[in-house]
Amino acid sequence: MPPTIDGATALVGVLGDPVGHSLSPAMHNAALAELGLNWAYLALPTPAAELAAVLRALEALDCRGLNVTLPHKQAAAELADALSPLARRLGAVNTLVRRAEGGWMGTNTDVEGFLAPLRDGNGPAPWRGQRALVLGCGGSARAVVAGCAELDLERISVAGRRAASLEPFIESCRPWAPGIEALAWDDSDDPGDGPLSSAVAQADLVVNTTPLGMAAAEDPAAAQRCPSPPASWIGCVPAWWSMT
């Protein structure tokens, strides 16, 4: 049974936009109850323009810590008062912890979370020389590229629909991911044809870091709005992983 919320209950939560779909409150509140902590974990919808104000308000309310999901991982890194070495290298955070001296400490657990099911007990050998395709070029994609670099993959292709975002992403990752390359994501490609479909067919690992799949299940038009037509994936059976 979850603890009773009272005047001593501490607040933790997840910031995102949208975030109402998140399963984090169910998972974390169950863990908090098991640990006997008088804490409550909430999904906190946060528009991008309000992120800085929300972080200031939550600090004033003595919030103990936060998870950060799309589209805020890079912006939260810029707003954090301190960063772990990994978060500083990636320029993205998924976790904010209150500092005793005030402000927020940003860190990134996405890399280890991504790598955990892909590693074996002897390191990255099973993936050495393989090819990965990463869909999207936001904060989660940075963690995925860092993880792929640790797996010693031969090639890491990153597909993005906006050149203005994709090109600086590639250049910022290249110093620590030399096998990275940009892949144009052209919505006008015929299903099953074009650079993206070709990359899917050649990939050993496909990782989705986009909002694709977050559409409401009851929305019949969601598939038609998908930037990657379902036909593009027919016959493609690489390892698939999704992160947001």
Side-chain angles (χ1 to χ4, degrees):
M1 178 179 295
T4 301
I5 294 177
D6 56 30
T9 302
L11 173 65
V12 286
V14 55
L15 304 180
D17 186 25
V19 76
H21 64 284
S22 177
L23 297 178
S24 290
M27 294 187 293
H28 285 85
N29 282 314
L32 294 171
E34 182 67 21
L35 293 169
L37 293 172
N38 186 9
W39 291 18
Y41 187 105
L42 301 177
L44 303 168
T46 306
E50 303 298 329
L51 179 61
V54 168
L55 289 177
R56 289 194 299 270
L58 289 171
E59 181 182 1
L61 291 171
D62 197 26
C63 176
R64 304 300 174 84
L66 296 161
N67 290 132
V68 182
T69 189
L70 60 81
H72 301 318
K73 294 186 178 185
Q74 291 167 269
E78 295 176 358
L79 292 168
D81 299 275
L83 294 171
S84 68
L86 176 60
R88 185 176 299 107
R89 176 160 66 91
L90 296 180
V93 304
N94 73 335
T95 304
L96 292 169
V97 180
R98 282 284 306 285
R99 302 196 311 160
E101 60 269 44
W104 298 97
M105 169 71 181
T107 188
N108 194 303
T109 64
D110 279 339
V111 178
E112 283 304 312
F114 167 69
L115 287 173
L118 298 176
R119 283 175 168 151
D120 68 8
N122 301 314
W127 295 98
R128 182 169 294 129
Q130 304 295 305
R131 299 179 178 183
L133 170 62
V134 181
L135 304 178
C137 53
S140 295
R142 289 181 178 274
V144 168
V145 169
C148 286
E150 288 194 30
L151 293 175
D152 201 17
L153 288 148
E154 175 185 353
R155 182 183 302 169
I156 307 167
S157 299
V158 179
R161 288 178 289 161
R162 293 180 292 275
S165 299
L166 179 60
E167 292 173 5
F169 176 93
I170 295 294
E171 291 308 311
S172 66
C173 294
R174 199 179 300 281
W176 39 268
I180 196 170
E181 65 177 13
L183 178 66
W185 185 337
D186 188 350
D187 293 353
S188 66
D189 286 344
D190 292 332
D193 190 19
L196 179 60
S197 297
S198 177
V200 169
Q202 296 176 36
D204 302 288
L205 173 67
V206 178
V207 187
N208 171 40
T209 71
T210 75
L212 182 65
M214 293 174 61
E218 64 272 13
D219 182 359
Q224 282 67 45
R225 295 197 301 271
C226 173
S228 180
S232 300
W233 305 92
I234 294 175
C236 171
V237 288
W240 172 270
W241 189 254
S242 186
M243 289 185 68
T244 53

